[in-house]
Amino acid sequence: MIIFATSDKGGTGRSVTCANIAYRRSLAGDDVAYADFDFGSPGAAAVFELDAAARDVADRGVHSYLQGRVREPARLDVWSLSRREALRGDHMTSGRLCLVPGDHGGGEFPVGAGEARRCAELLLALEEEFDLTIVDLRAGRSYAVDLALRTTARAELRYVPTRWLVFHRWTRQHIAGAVGLVHGDRGILRAGVLWGHDEAALSERIRYVRTAVPGLGIPQDGGEAAGPATWLRARDAELEDLAVRLKLDRTATLGTVPLDPVLHWREQLITDEDVAVSPAAGKETAQVFTDLADALACSTGREAP
């Protein structure tokens, strides 16, 4: 299974959520690859805390590979190379977790037949070797999105199972932006048709992930916090109504990521150790990442643990 992750705008938490999903699926025993196609500003190495290792292969990232400057992109084993001690423990029951890093400062580039061919070769190799491959694309209608659509329309990838995750924050602007990214005149569906995809089949493979959704609980005893909480509930209802009207309701949504204080200040993997030793690392958020990982496992036909 190959998962393409994108968003209309930056700052949605797309990369950190995908990294946590990859982490949770690997803990569950799957071999997982994470390919950083966010050309120009790849950030997955920082989330996995592989910055030093990524600098050592700075000229052998995805960008260099797709443009034909290297024969194969670098691969970084997260369990052995991360500088986080919590990730370098005993992983005898875990699957592999591999980062295919991006090139820092590479920038966007037009997609041609050569890039599409090399992309197809990379995706097929990862599909054969790993249970799950997550491809983190650049936000907006980018060359990376075009490359993903063009490549998956090729004959050799026609029967490879793929899914698309579109991330958006829980605001009016982000909801409208996500819908436009998928359904707009230059959106994913229309661009996919131009490359040879069936629009209905492509639409069925797209799901949304809501991020930075604030807690909406109203204190049992009322008090000063009840007023703001009631206001938040009203705004949430308005956004839910907007999402339904734009056909971005819960039936099209894979999951919801809460507004987490740790992720607000620092993009990182939230490990079970983090939850155990720090009350700031929300147990709810860790469970959400596990649920998203399980939902993807079910969509691949694999059983969640």
Side-chain angles (χ1 to χ4, degrees), residues 7 13 20 41-42 60 63 79 89 96 135 178 193 232 270 286 288 295:
S7 56
N20 274 279
S41 57
R60 292 191 288 122
H63 198 186
W79 299 138
R96 296 168 58 201
V135 182
V193 170
L232 282 174
I270 294 185
V288 163

Side-chain angles (χ1 to χ4, degrees), residues 3 12 24 27 29-30 35 46 50 58 96 102 119 127 150 156 160 168 201 215 228 252 258 261 274 290-291 294 297:
I3 305 293
T12 61
R24 292 289 166 179
L27 288 182
D30 280 350
L50 293 167
R96 296 168 58 201
C119 183
E127 168 67 11
R150 178 171 181 167
E156 60 265 43
V160 173
H168 65 88
D274 292 325
T290 299
D291 293 343
D294 290 346

Side-chain angles (χ1 to χ4, degrees), residues 108-269:
E108 288 249 272
F109 56 91
V111 174
E115 287 80 7
R117 175 180 56 78
R118 284 185 285 271
C119 183
E121 292 172 354
L122 174 60
L123 294 182
L124 286 171
L126 295 175
E127 168 67 11
E128 182 177 353
E129 186 176 346
F130 294 89
D131 299 304
L132 176 67
T133 297
I134 297 177
V135 182
D136 186 6
L137 304 172
R138 191 170 178 83
R141 278 289 288 113
S142 62
Y143 286 121
V145 171
D146 279 336
L147 178 61
L149 291 169
R150 178 171 181 167
T151 302
T152 51
R154 293 171 64 98
E156 60 265 43
L157 274 89
R158 186 171 300 162
Y159 299 106
V160 173
T162 60
R163 297 288 186 273
W164 286 72
L165 296 183
V166 177
F167 289 77
H168 65 88
R169 293 174 68 91
W170 195 226
T171 70
R172 295 180 63 87
Q173 294 85 352
H174 279 261
I175 292 171
V179 172
L181 175 63
V182 174
H183 297 280
D185 291 340
R186 299 182 62 253
I188 290 173
L189 293 179
R190 295 198 180 184
V193 170
L194 291 176
W195 287 118
H197 288 276
D198 177 79
E199 182 172 353
L202 180 58
S203 179
E204 280 297 312
R205 295 196 292 271
I206 297 174
R207 290 294 181 270
Y208 300 87
V209 179
R210 300 175 179 179
T211 64
V213 178
L216 303 173
I218 298 178
Q220 295 293 323
D221 58 353
E224 294 182 1
T230 302
W231 183 88
L232 282 174
R233 281 185 177 273
R235 302 294 78 75
D236 180 68
E238 291 175 358
L239 292 175
E240 195 69 60
D241 179 67
L242 174 64
V244 170
R245 286 189 282 111
L246 294 179
K247 302 186 186 306
L248 198 159
D249 57 13
R250 293 187 181 275
T251 61
T253 299
L254 185 72
T256 297
V257 181
L259 183 62
D260 186 278
V262 170
L263 299 183
H264 178 73
W265 293 107
R266 188 173 187 269
E267 294 185 329
Q268 66 170 64
L269 298 183

